[in-house]
């Protein structure tokens, strides 16, 4: 079907011929200009001078003397005036960061007020009650009066909530803010877009000197639909003066049916405003032309893009015209999945792709680098203002992000060196000076900007250095080069626009401003807008047509949108003054969709049927309307992605494997030792033992600011060793313990410094979470000391005692033995009995079942703490010659209620009962060791999942 712009081009050539050069062509957006010029060239078929082509904003900005004020000029001007108003009311001023969100809403409201020629004084006038409405708004229709009454009744009860009072105070400031704001811009000879519209709407055509450029031709408005009041007045004036022509793209299907929202604005333009459509009779393509529509129901957001290969493969190879194929993203978040999915070739033909929306800088690695630099600047700023000027540091997370970023250009040798130092020293906060000393990119990246106003130029310099560095190393990709150049260009432009406003601004606000500015940038991707697949947003399709259309993200809530955006003008007042409301947005979306469909021969519509927090899983109601009313030929497809789970496979490790056999043999030859915890690991889950002690697969070390549970245990052990160290070989009394507790704070801080590798424990400034950890350790010390006060007097024999011993066992009729090594927390003597004391901060238990249950891998009653302390007790007996050394367990979480002595069947494991059970324990231990080294019994996981619930190796088996 012939595209709308081709029809327009032919009509323009018919009307103007080569005089088209004297005309001005005005579009909603820039995209249609390329297409119109092509169609004009195809029609004229000889060299000609092109007409002047504008967007509507460019055209009206050219028509006024003032320059358009950018957002930053508008924001800072508005902030200054608002603070003047606050000062006049005796209120404190707002900071830029406090006002930024408010300003965006206010500026948008002001722009809408100007675009629709609303009297700002009347709109913002405070109305105290309904009688005021009767007196001052007698011109309203009954419906408008009802809307206004409904809004103000909630504010006329005499007693307002605090939020309402604040709103009313701000509402009262708006008229003065509006007028002073425009006056301030006018004084600098600047104007807003809305202000330009309002000014032109109040002028006669003879005052618009800009129009004289086109006296030999005409001003041609193409493809317009929804008009603001200002646009409508200007269009009418230009038409009445014989200076303008209008080309509306309309189909009788929705234009002549008052129930069709797609034709709402066109009916108003043609029937009420009496704007003449140069294409006299609307086409009837929606009904008369053949349309086939394939509807794809898919599961998942990204899955919508993943079926593009299938959709495009069918007929892309046969398409050659500029208006051939378009992929329209109703949801622009699908851009990256679509780019990743569209193939480089279809049916042996290379694919030409043009992305009209541009690549969002905010998802690029270049933005990631800039954002990281800004975050580091903010961190250094906070260091200097909240801690000590001399203690500027960088968090290890930021340093790690820098090292892993693909664009920094830091050598692998340097990265490895820094990572090794971070892990070995467990550095959570890295001194800035230490990074600066490394030189190169580290020096440049982590140098702090001296003042907030220098932030933008400093960032531009860093990115420029990175760009040059990557170029020298020949590691720069073309897309990254484009992104770098665009980013640096935008930063320079941003600095030129706002540098004069940053003298007294705080760095956090400037940082946020730069981040927002960079996130809004879209980088044009190379492509031919007249060939191949056009990847577009819905707004960019205005005035364009394509034979094959693919809609992605065709969900309710996305098209049409369910929100008009933030505004301080409530819906009821918007309706009173004719400002845009949600139904207007629906009508605009409906028109854009229907206008695209009317000339498309083949349509593919894809929507996400999954329901989540951002999607209701329903297709757009436009699809439902088309299904019931249009007569299109619909086919339906459902992409089903079944989820299948794989049965868990049992993994067995054969001990006869030469490598496994050789590594196990090292324990039998005493080349390597086993710890009691290694033995209990095998008992609980043999496969864990294999990964940890045979395959030597260890959990990688990492730096973490969070103190892990095992580190709290290490701090407690270090603190208790320090606590009792002065009494080694001496009798500990209750009074001594009470006196020693006075020094516990220093002991705890030294223990923290030892475990976390933190120097200067006495002067170190502990963070809030670290203070919590210190409090936990202190509570544990109080519990242990409290129990020891009850146990006193007792004599300390050893602290953190290293234990070496051999454990013999029979392996296939031959005598074998292994060597064990471990560290005992404390050995003491109480009432003549030697005790092995083990401190535990976990959920260990004192109760145990039968001895054979202790060694049963497939049983849930394994008591690791008992096994370990019994092994230590037996080893100490062999070393010291003592008999019946008693295992004692200090479980700090439960020792107040449960005591410290192991027990089974309500009998405490001490004295005769300990002597009775010990032979059975040793026999069970020897039997388990024989199983461990028996090559006929493979390593495999326990049948009891609880035995390895917290294992770090669960993903391996």
């Amino acid at each position: 079907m012939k595209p709308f712009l081709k029809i327009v081009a032919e009509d323009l050539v018919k009307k103007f011929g080569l005089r088209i050069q004297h005309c001005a062509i005005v579009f909603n957006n820039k995209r249609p200009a390329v297409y119109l010029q092509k169609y004009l060239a195809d029609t004229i078929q000889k060299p000609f001078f092109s007409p002047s082509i504008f967007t509507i904003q460019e055209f009206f900005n050219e028509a006024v003397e003032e320059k358009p004020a950018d957002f930053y000029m508008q924001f800072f001007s508005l902030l200054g005036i608002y603070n003047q108003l606050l000062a006049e009311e005796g209120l404190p001023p707002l900071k830029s960061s406090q006002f930024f969100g408010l300003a965006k809403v206010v500026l948008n409201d002001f722009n809408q007020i100007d675009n629709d020629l609303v009297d700002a004084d009347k709109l913002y006038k405070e109305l105290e009650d309904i009688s005021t409405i009767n007196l001052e708004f007698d011109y309203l229709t009954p419906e408008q009066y009802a809307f206004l009454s409904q809004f103000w009744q909630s504010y006329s009860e005499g007693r307002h909530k605090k939020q309402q009072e604040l709103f009313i105070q701000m509402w009262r400031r708006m008229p003065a803010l509006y007028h002073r704001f425009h006056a301030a811009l006018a004084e600098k000879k600047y104007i807003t877009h809305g202000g330009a519209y309002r000014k032109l709407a109040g002028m006669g055509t003879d005052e618009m000197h800009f129009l004289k450029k086109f006296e030999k031709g005409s001003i041609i408005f193409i493809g317009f639909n929804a008009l603001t009041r200002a646009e409508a007045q200007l269009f009418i004036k230009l038409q009445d003066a014989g200076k303008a022509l209008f080309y509306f793209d309309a189909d009788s299907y929705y234009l002549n049916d008052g129930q069709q929202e797609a034709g709402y604005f066109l009916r108003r333009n043609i029937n009420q405003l009496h704007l003449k459509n140069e294409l006299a009779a609307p086409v009837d393509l929606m009904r008369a032309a053949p349309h086939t529509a394939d509807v794809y129901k898919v599961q998942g957001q990204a899955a919508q893009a993943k079926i593009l290969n299938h959709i495009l493969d069918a007929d892309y190879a046969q398409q050659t015209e500029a208006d051939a194929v378009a992929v329209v993203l109703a949801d622009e978040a699908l851009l990256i999945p679509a780019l990743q999915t569209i193939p480089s070739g279809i049916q042996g033909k290379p694919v030409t792709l043009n992305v009209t929306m541009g690549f969002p800088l905010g998802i690029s690695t270049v933005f990631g680098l800039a954002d990281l630099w800004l975050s580091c600047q903010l961190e250094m700023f906070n260091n200097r203002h909240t801690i000590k000027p001399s203690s500027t540091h960088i968090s290890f997370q930021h340093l790690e992000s820098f090292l892993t970023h693909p664009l920094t250009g830091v050598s692998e040798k340097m990265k490895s060196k820094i990572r090794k130092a971070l892990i070995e020293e467990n550095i959570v906060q890295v001194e800035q000076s230490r990074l600066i000393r490394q030189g190169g990119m580290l020096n440049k990246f982590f140098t702090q900007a001296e003042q907030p106003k220098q932030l933008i130029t400093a960032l531009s310099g860093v990115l420029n250095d990175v760009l040059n560095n990557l170029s020298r190393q020949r590691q720069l990709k073309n897309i990254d080069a484009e992104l770098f150049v665009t980013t640096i260009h935008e930063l320079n432009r941003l600095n030129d626009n706002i540098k004069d406003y940053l003298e007294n601004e705080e760095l956090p606000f400037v940082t946020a401003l730069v981040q927002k500015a960079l996130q809004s940038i879209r980088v044009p991707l190379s492509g031919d807008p007249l060939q191949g697949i056009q990847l577009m947003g819905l707004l960019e399709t205005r005035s364009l047509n394509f034979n094959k259309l693919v809609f992605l993200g065709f969900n309710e809530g996305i098209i049409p949108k369910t929100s008009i955006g933030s505004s301080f003008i409530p819906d009821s007042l918007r309706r009173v003054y004719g400002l845009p409301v949600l139904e207007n947005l629906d009508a605009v979306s409906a028109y854009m969709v229907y206008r695209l469909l009317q000339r498309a021969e083949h349509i593919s519509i894809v929507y996400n049927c999954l329901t989540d927090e951002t999607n209701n899983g329903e297709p757009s109601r436009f699809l439902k309307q088309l299904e019931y009313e249009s007569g299109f030929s619909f086919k339906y497809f459902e992409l089903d992605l079944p989820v299948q789970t794989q049965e868990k496979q049992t993994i067995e490790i054969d001990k006869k494997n030469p490598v496994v056999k050789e590594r196990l043999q090292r324990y039998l030859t005493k080349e390597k030792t086993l710890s009691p915890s290694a033995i209990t690991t095998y008992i609980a889950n043999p496969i864990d033992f294999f990964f940890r002690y045979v395959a030597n697969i260890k959990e990688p070390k990492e730096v973490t600011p969070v103190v892990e549970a095992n580190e709290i245990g290490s701090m407690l052990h270090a603190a208790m060793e320090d606590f009792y160290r002065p009494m080694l070989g001496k009798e500990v009394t209750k009074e001594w313990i009470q006196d020693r507790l006075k020094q516990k704070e220093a002991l705890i801080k030294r223990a923290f410094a030892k475990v976390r590798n933190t120097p200067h424990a006495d002067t170190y400034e502990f963070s809030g979470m670290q203070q919590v950890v210190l409090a936990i350790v202190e509570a544990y010390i109080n519990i242990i000391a409290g129990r020891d006060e009850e146990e006193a007097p007792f004599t300390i024999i050893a602290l953190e005692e290293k234990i070496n011993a051999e454990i013999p066992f029979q392996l296939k009729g031959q005598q074998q033995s292994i060597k064990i090594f471990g560290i005992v927390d404390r050995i003491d003597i109480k009432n003549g009995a030697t005790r092995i004391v083990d401190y535990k901060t976990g959920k260990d238990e004192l109760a145990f079942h039968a001895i054979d249950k202790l060694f049963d891998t497939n049983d849930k009653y394994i008591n690791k703490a008992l096994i370990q302390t019994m092994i230590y007790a037996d080893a100490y007996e062999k070393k010291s010659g003592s008999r019946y050394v008693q295992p004692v367990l200090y479980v700090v979480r439960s020792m107040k209620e449960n005591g410290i002595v192991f027990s089974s069947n309500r009998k405490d494991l001490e004295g005769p009962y300990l002597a009775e059970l010990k032979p059975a324990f040793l026999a069970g231990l020897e039997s388990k060791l024989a199983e461990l080294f028996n090559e006929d019994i493979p390593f495999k996981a326990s049948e009891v999942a609880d035995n390895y619930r917290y294992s770090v190796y669960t993903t391996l088996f």
Side-chain angles (χ1 to χ4, degrees):
M1 282 175 267
K2 186 178 289 188
F4 166 66
L5 288 179
K6 190 167 188 177
I7 297 171
V8 171
E10 291 172 352
D11 193 67
L12 288 175
V13 173
K14 183 179 178 181
K15 283 185 171 69
F16 296 97
L18 294 180
R19 289 191 303 111
I20 191 72
Q21 65 175 307
H22 301 300
C23 294
I25 308 291
V26 184
F27 289 109
N28 265 309
N29 57 322
K30 294 182 178 181
R31 183 60 48 186
V34 179
Y35 287 81
L36 181 66
Q37 288 172 325
K38 176 188 184 302
Y39 294 136
L40 287 172
D42 291 345
T43 305
I44 297 174
Q45 293 190 342
K46 62 181 179 180
F48 68 99
F49 288 101
S50 173
S52 301
I53 299 179
F54 303 90
T55 66
I56 185 71
Q57 286 191 347
E58 290 171 346
F59 184 76
F60 286 152
N61 285 336
E62 290 281 350
V64 294
E65 297 177 356
E66 296 86 352
K67 297 178 182 178
D70 63 28
F71 168 77
Y72 303 103
M73 174 179 285
Q74 293 184 46
F75 167 72
F76 286 107
S77 298
L78 194 71
L79 172 62
I81 296 166
Y82 196 82
N83 280 334
Q84 288 176 11
L85 293 171
L86 291 177
E88 290 170 10
E89 297 175 30
L91 297 173
L94 293 180
K95 294 181 179 179
S96 300
S97 55
Q98 296 171 309
F99 189 65
F100 190 78
L102 174 69
K104 292 177 73 175
V105 179
V106 171
L107 289 172
N108 184 59
D109 284 347
F110 284 180
N111 205 49
Q112 287 188 352
I113 288 169
D114 288 330
N115 278 331
D116 283 294
L117 306 179
V118 173
D119 187 325
D121 291 320
K122 286 184 178 179
L123 174 64
Y124 287 122
K125 184 176 177 63
E126 184 191 359
L127 308 177
E128 292 295 341
D129 52 32
I130 303 302
S131 61
T132 308
I133 297 176
N134 289 329
L135 289 172
E136 300 201 17
F137 291 84
D138 55 352
Y139 58 87
L140 299 179
T141 65
E143 184 182 18
Q144 291 174 321
Y145 174 81
F147 283 135
L148 196 56
S149 299
Q150 178 185 3
F151 169 69
W152 283 110
Q153 278 174 353
S154 65
Y155 289 90
S156 300
E157 299 170 358
R159 305 178 82 180
H160 305 304
K161 294 180 180 178
K162 183 176 180 180
Q163 292 86 348
Q164 291 175 322
E165 291 173 354
L166 292 173
F167 174 75
I168 289 174
Q169 289 174 7
M170 184 186 67
W171 189 269
R172 286 173 174 160
R173 296 182 194 114
M174 287 300 134
L177 181 64
Y178 172 86
H179 291 296
R180 293 190 192 181
F181 168 69
H182 282 300
L185 291 182
E187 187 177 342
K188 302 174 185 176
K189 298 197 180 301
Y190 280 90
I191 197 168
T192 65
H193 290 304
Y197 279 39
R198 183 186 284 273
K199 180 176 180 178
L200 287 171
M203 295 168 60
T205 55
D206 56 334
E207 300 177 82
M208 303 178 190
H209 304 297
F210 172 68
L211 302 182
K212 292 180 180 179
K213 296 180 181 180
F214 312 106
E215 285 181 341
K216 294 181 181 180
S218 188
I219 301 164
I220 301 157
F221 296 92
I222 301 175
F224 284 84
N225 174 40
L227 302 178
T228 65
R229 281 203 190 100
E231 288 172 337
Q233 284 194 22
L234 284 163
F235 285 9
I236 292 169
K237 287 180 182 180
L238 291 171
Q239 179 176 264
D240 292 345
K243 296 180 180 293
L245 300 178
F246 302 94
Y247 288 88
F248 297 115
D249 190 6
D251 192 288
S252 58
Y253 173 79
Y254 51 81
L255 180 64
N256 298 334
D257 184 353
Q259 298 298 313
Q260 289 285 353
E261 56 190 342
Y264 173 77
F265 287 106
L266 286 179
R267 288 191 292 271
R268 190 174 71 172
N269 296 342
I270 296 171
N271 301 331
Q272 296 178 27
L273 301 179
H274 303 294
L275 296 175
K276 179 186 174 184
N277 187 3
E278 294 300 313
L279 303 177
V283 296
D284 191 19
L285 298 175
M286 290 288 285
R287 292 190 192 90
H291 301 274
T292 61
D294 296 334
V295 180
Y296 295 87
K297 176 182 178 181
V298 302
Q299 300 178 15
Q301 179 76 346
Q304 298 176 87
K306 298 307 176 184
I307 64 172
L308 278 175
N309 283 353
H310 168 75
I311 295 173
L312 296 173
D313 184 66
D315 56 357
Y316 172 75
Q318 286 74 41
Q319 306 288 349
T320 57
E321 296 297 323
D323 50 13
V325 183
V327 177
V328 181
L329 305 182
D331 182 358
E332 296 189 3
L334 290 169
L335 173 61
I336 300 305
L339 287 174
Q340 293 171 338
T341 303
I342 295 176
S344 58
I346 295 177
Q347 297 184 10
K349 179 181 177 180
V351 170
T352 303
L353 179 64
N354 182 52
V355 184
T356 65
M357 342 171 30
F359 186 83
L361 181 66
I363 61 174
S364 69
T365 52
V366 174
F367 174 79
L369 187 65
D371 188 55
L372 176 62
W373 184 85
L374 291 168
S375 298
C376 291
Q377 292 294 315
L378 190 57
E379 182 179 26
M380 289 185 284
F381 171 84
N382 290 333
N383 290 164
R384 291 191 172 184
H385 288 77
T386 59
I387 307 177
K388 294 179 180 178
S390 60
S391 63
T392 301
H393 56 255
I394 301 295
S395 68
F396 82 94
Q397 295 101 326
H398 282 150
L399 180 56
E400 182 66 24
S401 297
F402 173 82
L403 294 175
T404 56
H405 198 284
L407 298 179
T408 55
V410 178
S411 67
E412 289 299 322
K413 182 178 179 181
M414 177 63 75
K415 290 179 182 178
S416 177
K417 172 187 172 183
I418 295 173
R419 287 197 186 100
K420 183 179 180 182
L422 286 175
I423 292 172
E424 290 181 351
E425 301 177 35
N426 195 34
I427 302 174
V428 177
Q429 302 289 347
V430 187
E431 292 182 7
Q432 180 205 15
S433 57
R434 186 172 180 180
L435 295 173
I436 297 297
R437 287 197 299 270
Q438 305 304 313
M441 190 52 63
L442 284 159
N443 177 16
K444 295 173 182 176
F445 196 87
F446 292 105
T447 297
Q448 188 172 8
E450 292 298 324
Q451 297 177 352
K453 65 180 181 180
Q454 298 173 343
L455 189 77
I456 300 175
T457 53
L459 174 56
S460 180
V462 167
L463 294 182
N464 200 53
D465 287 338
V466 174
L467 175 61
N468 292 333
N469 186 42
L470 292 173
S471 298
R472 286 193 299 269
Q473 297 177 6
R474 297 183 178 180
Q475 297 179 0
L476 191 63
K477 299 177 182 177
N478 289 338
I479 181 64
D480 288 333
E482 286 190 38
L483 291 170
F484 267 115
V485 171
T486 303
T487 304
I488 293 169
H489 172 75
E490 289 297 326
L491 285 171
N492 293 336
R493 188 180 65 84
L494 177 64
N495 186 61
D496 291 340
N497 288 340
I498 69 173
K499 61 183 179 182
D500 295 335
Y501 301 108
L502 300 183
E503 187 66 36
N504 299 314
E505 292 297 333
E506 295 179 343
L507 187 133
F509 173 70
V510 180
T511 300
L513 206 62
V514 176
Q515 287 171 324
K516 292 179 186 296
L518 293 181
Q519 283 177 323
S520 66
I521 295 172
R522 286 184 176 271
V523 181
L525 298 180
S526 59
D528 189 340
L530 297 176
Q531 290 186 16
I533 297 173
Q534 305 296 311
L535 192 56
M536 319 181 78
L538 186 59
L539 285 173
E540 295 165 311
T541 65
R542 287 176 291 185
S543 298
L544 304 182
N545 296 105
F546 301 91
N547 292 334
K548 180 177 178 66
L549 274 176
V550 183
F551 278 102
L552 296 185
F554 210 75
N555 279 87
E556 186 68 20
I558 295 175
I559 180 168
K561 295 188 181 298
T562 55
S563 171
I564 196 171
S566 300
S567 174
F568 288 125
I569 306 173
D571 180 77
S572 53
L573 291 186
R574 300 183 77 87
R575 294 178 188 277
V576 168
Y577 288 95
L579 292 170
V581 292
L582 193 58
E583 292 93 306
N584 299 149
L585 296 185
D586 291 352
V588 170
S589 295
Y591 174 73
M592 286 193 290
V593 171
Y594 279 46
R595 194 205 62 76
L596 270 175
L597 297 179
Q598 67 197 32
R599 287 185 171 83
E601 295 177 0
H602 191 93
I603 304 151
S604 297
I605 294 174
V606 187
Y607 73 94
N608 175 15
C609 67
L610 287 186
T611 303
D612 55 31
E613 63 276 6
T614 61
N615 182 49
N616 58 18
E618 295 293 329
S620 168
R621 65 175 178 271
F622 296 156
L623 175 59
K624 295 298 182 184
Q625 290 170 4
L626 291 166
E627 288 172 340
Y628 286 108
E629 301 172 357
S630 68
F632 287 14
S633 175
F634 281 94
K635 293 180 183 179
Y636 299 91
F637 304 90
E638 184 169 350
L639 179 63
D640 189 16
L641 300 174
V643 178
Q644 297 180 345
T645 57
Q646 187 177 6
E647 291 186 9
K648 185 174 182 180
Q649 297 180 352
T650 301
I651 295 180
E652 292 187 356
I653 306 298
D654 189 358
K655 295 177 184 174
K656 295 178 182 178
N657 180 289
V659 176
V660 176
K661 188 173 182 179
E662 186 272 330
R663 291 189 179 182
L664 284 174
Q665 189 66 25
R666 294 178 185 177
Y667 293 108
L668 296 177
T669 60
K670 315 301 185 299
E671 182 182 344
K672 296 186 71 175
T673 62
L674 281 175
S675 66
S677 63
I679 295 173
T680 57
T681 296
Y682 176 78
I683 295 169
N685 194 34
I687 200 74
D688 274 356
F689 179 91
F690 166 77
F691 287 130
R692 176 69 179 83
Y693 298 99
V694 179
N696 292 324
I697 300 175
K698 298 180 182 180
E699 187 176 9
K701 292 182 179 181
E702 59 182 21
V703 181
T704 171
V706 178
V707 179
E708 303 291 345
N710 64 326
E711 290 183 303
I712 293 178
S714 299
M715 290 176 195
L716 176 64
H717 283 74
M720 292 310 302
E721 178 189 9
D722 207 359
F723 188 94
Y724 282 119
R725 179 63 61 187
M727 298 304 289
L728 192 60
K730 301 177 183 177
E731 184 179 77
V732 177
T733 64
K734 177 179 180 181
E735 292 74 21
W736 184 89
I737 294 173
Q738 292 173 344
D739 185 64
R740 183 63 167 169
L741 281 173
K742 298 175 183 177
Q743 304 172 39
K744 65 183 175 183
E745 182 178 349
L747 298 177
I748 295 168
K749 288 183 177 180
R750 284 203 296 270
F752 184 97
K754 179 180 179 182
V755 172
R756 296 289 292 178
N757 196 28
T758 303
H760 314 301
D762 296 334
T763 59
Y764 181 79
E765 296 185 20
F766 293 91
S767 68
M769 187 53 66
Q770 290 171 341
Q771 293 282 1
V772 171
V773 171
L774 297 181
I776 292 172
V777 176
E778 181 181 4
Y780 287 171
I781 290 176
N782 288 337
I783 292 171
I784 294 174
R787 178 69 193 195
D788 282 347
E789 285 183 37
E790 297 176 12
E791 296 289 311
F794 56 86
T795 301
I796 299 291
I797 300 300
L799 295 170
E800 299 296 315
E801 179 76 0
K802 295 178 181 178
I803 298 292
N804 289 281
E806 286 191 17
I807 302 179
F809 59 93
Q810 289 288 322
L811 179 60
K812 292 185 176 183
Q814 294 185 355
Q815 186 72 17
Q816 296 284 357
S817 66
I818 61 162
K819 187 176 181 180
I820 66 164
F821 172 81
I823 299 176
V824 178
D825 296 340
R826 182 174 112 195
I827 304 174
D828 63 26
I829 299 176
K830 164 71 176 172
N831 295 329
T834 303
R835 304 188 305 178
I836 297 291
V837 179
D838 198 7
Y839 305 127
K840 295 290 185 183
T841 57
K843 296 181 179 180
D844 297 271
E845 296 182 358
L846 293 167
F848 66 96
H849 291 72
I851 290 296
D852 58 334
K853 297 288 186 182
L854 292 176
F855 299 100
D856 187 351
T857 294
N858 297 319
D859 194 280
K860 62 181 179 179
Y861 296 113
I862 301 170
N863 191 320
K864 291 184 178 182
L866 173 60
I867 296 171
Q868 290 176 21
T869 51
M870 285 288 285
I871 292 175
Y872 281 135
D874 179 66
Y876 185 72
E877 286 180 3
K878 292 174 181 176
K879 174 184 177 181
S880 64
S882 304
R883 296 188 63 193
Y884 306 125
V885 174
Q886 181 184 1
V888 172
L889 193 68
Y890 279 40
V891 185
V892 291
R893 294 187 182 187
S894 58
M895 59 191 293
K896 285 185 178 180
E897 297 80 18
N898 301 330
I900 59 174
V901 181
F902 290 101
S903 63
S904 175
N905 298 320
R906 299 183 180 179
K907 295 176 68 176
D908 290 343
L909 190 63
E910 56 186 0
Y913 188 55
L914 173 61
E916 177 188 336
L917 291 187
K918 185 177 178 182
F921 173 84
L922 293 176
L925 175 62
E926 291 169 10
S927 175
K928 204 65 181 177
L929 290 174
E931 176 190 304
L932 167 59
F933 292 98
N934 188 339
E935 62 183 23
D936 296 326
I937 302 175
F939 290 110
K940 59 183 180 180
S942 169
E943 296 175 4
V944 181
D946 280 349
N947 287 352
Y948 55 82
R949 182 179 301 278
Y950 303 108
S951 168
V952 298
Y953 303 108
T954 50
T955 57
L956 302 179
F957 61 90

